[in-house]
Amino acid sequence: MAGRTVRNSGRITPRAIRATAVAACAALALTACGSTKDSAGSGNDAGDGKGNGKVGVILPLLTSPFWQSYNDYVPKMAESEKVDALKTVNSNSDPSQQITDINNQLNQGVQGLVVAPLDSAAISAGLDQAERKGVPVVAVDVAPEKGKVAMVVRANNVAYGEQACEFLGDQVKTGKVVQIMGDLASVNGRDRSEAFRTCVKEKYPDLKVLEIPAKWESDTAASKLDTLLNSNPDIKGIYMQAGGVYLAPTLQTLKSKGMLKKAGEKGHISIVSNDGIPQEFDAIRKGEIDATVSQPADAYAKYGMYYIKAAMQGKTFKPGPTDHDSVIVKLPNGLLEDQLPAPLVTKDNVDDPKLWGNTVK
């Protein structure tokens, strides 16, 4: 997940959704070819057999620049992949609303769904509904814990945490570093947090990790960072797991305390982020932060459309290299995940025109 803001809607909670969800069916069989150069599978009742049915696209939120960019890419990539995608639906950071959104799309007769799950476990209720109607689903950004999807389109979030750890470890040899974590109800938050923590312990034992559980909430990140800095004014590094929601509050908090020093200046706090949004690139150029891992919003949209079209045509895939510099892996729960490239961006390559963050305004 690239970041979200939680609100209390009074609707069914994710815990209640999990409690009532029907047990997930078996994962997609691995019966076809090993890359995106695919062949027809055994067929699928959804769609017209040519991948021409209408596709619903469900967003987790639109309060993050990352998801705003993804939303902008969706119609462009749908057109390029010749997918008839309906107007996107925003679940507004509410996992229970996301299940309602899935059911609403199914009731409108969509023949395919591309969903970016808010909660890795709760989403299974919506996946079960889609499976009962014979509608294939592609998950983007977050891998479901259970339920059936044709493909998970995602980057390696463990690598995010490891890259952030190694960057900070090389910059900060000893002392305190902070990781501002995402929502641990999301596999993304768990993967990034544990990978960073484990990497520091194994490779940089002279670093002490302080943690802020922020649930992808900008206000929570700002408040908890402010409190932490009051008692730990000697921190030397920060890892933000989602620049889309944590960049502005982190920089503002540091600035308010007179702790925002540019790279190369005495007292500079090394900062590495995740997302690859234009705002992070600008902050790197200004020396306010040092690096970010570019999460591929453009490729998420492109291959979300690619795989849902393939699924509607009855095609299936198996683990192995793809023809777009990624690899399909089989997850422990049996689902397939196309792990897309997510490069580290520093001052050395921040102006690379191939980075999606340099192609949007």
Side-chain angles (χ1 to χ4, degrees):
M1 174 59 57
R4 67 186 180 95
T5 302
V6 174
R7 62 187 176 86
N8 184 0
S9 64
R11 286 187 284 268
I12 303 171
T13 64
R15 180 177 297 175
I17 295 171
R18 298 187 195 107
T20 58
V22 180
C25 294
L28 183 66
L30 312 181
T31 57
C33 69
S35 78
T36 52
K37 294 178 180 178
D38 48 62
S39 59
S42 58
N44 191 310
D45 291 335
D48 59 3
K50 298 180 181 180
N52 293 327
K54 292 189 180 298
V55 171
V57 182
I58 298 177
L59 309 175
L61 65 146
L62 278 173
T63 54
S64 162
F66 177 87
W67 288 110
Q68 292 165 6
S69 295
Y70 171 82
N71 185 50
D72 290 341
Y73 277 121
V74 165
K76 301 173 186 176
M77 297 305 182
E79 182 178 1
S80 68
E81 295 296 320
K82 296 180 173 56
V83 171
D84 186 6
L86 300 178
K87 183 178 179 180
T88 57
V89 176
N90 175 20
S91 296
N92 206 20
S93 300
D94 188 333
S96 61
Q97 179 60 43
Q98 191 161 68
I99 304 306
T100 299
D101 291 337
I102 290 173
N103 286 330
N104 288 342
Q105 293 284 288
L106 293 172
N107 289 336
Q108 290 177 32
V110 298
Q111 295 173 320
L113 281 170
V114 178
V115 181
L118 282 160
D119 187 303
S120 301
I123 195 64
S124 65
L127 299 180
D128 290 344
Q129 290 290 340
E131 185 178 10
R132 281 194 284 272
K133 290 182 176 288
V135 174
V137 181
V138 168
V140 171
D141 181 57
V142 172
E145 290 183 8
K146 58 182 180 178
K148 182 178 180 179
V149 297
M151 183 67 69
V152 179
V153 176
R154 183 172 176 250
N156 185 343
N157 280 246
V158 171
Y160 287 6
E162 292 173 344
Q163 288 184 85
C165 158
E166 291 170 357
F167 182 86
L168 278 185
D170 290 342
Q171 300 287 315
V172 182
K173 304 301 181 183
T174 183
K176 300 173 183 176
V177 297
V178 179
Q179 71 161 330
I180 305 177
M181 301 185 293
D183 193 343
L184 299 183
S186 162
V187 66
N188 289 8
R190 296 195 297 270
D191 280 356
R192 297 177 199 185
S193 299
E194 183 59 29
F196 183 83
R197 190 182 302 130
T198 300
C199 171
V200 169
K201 181 178 180 180
E202 293 178 351
K203 296 184 178 181
Y204 307 98
D206 291 332
L207 294 182
K208 179 180 180 181
V209 178
L210 306 177
E211 298 184 338
I212 295 176
K215 298 183 179 179
W216 313 125
E217 298 171 4
S218 57
D219 290 347
T220 299
S223 174
K224 291 188 175 181
L225 179 61
D226 184 83
T227 299
L228 183 145
L229 292 173
N230 288 338
S231 55
N232 296 275
D234 56 341
I235 67 164
K236 296 182 178 180
I238 297 175
Y239 168 38
M240 303 183 295
Q241 289 187 8
V245 288
Y246 296 156
L247 177 66
T250 295
L251 295 182
Q252 182 58 42
T253 300
L254 292 175
K255 184 177 181 180
S256 69
K257 292 181 172 296
M259 299 175 70
L260 184 59
K261 308 293 184 181
K262 292 185 177 181
E265 294 182 354
K266 183 178 179 180
H268 171 68
I269 296 173
S270 295
I271 302 176
V272 60
S273 186
N274 287 159
D275 271 355
I277 59 176
Q279 293 89 333
E280 289 170 303
F281 290 2
D282 288 343
I284 291 173
R285 295 183 183 105
K286 294 175 182 176
E288 295 174 334
I289 73 172
D290 301 83
T292 187
V293 178
S294 179
Q295 185 170 212
D298 54 346
Y300 279 6
K302 176 179 177 63
Y303 291 103
M305 294 300 148
Y306 173 88
Y307 283 114
I308 197 59
K309 182 176 180 179
M312 291 164 63
Q313 292 173 338
K315 298 178 181 178
T316 55
F317 300 85
K318 67 180 182 180
T322 72
D323 56 6
H324 49 270
D325 298 323
S326 67
V327 60
I328 296 175
V329 300
K330 184 178 181 181
L331 301 177
N333 62 6
L335 298 179
L336 293 182
E337 177 175 289
D338 187 355
Q339 294 188 338
L340 301 171
L344 183 71
V345 180
T346 68
K347 62 181 181 180
D348 295 329
N349 64 335
V350 69
D351 293 320
D352 185 345
K354 295 180 181 178
L355 295 168
W356 73 265
N358 285 325
T359 67
V360 297
K361 296 181 180 180

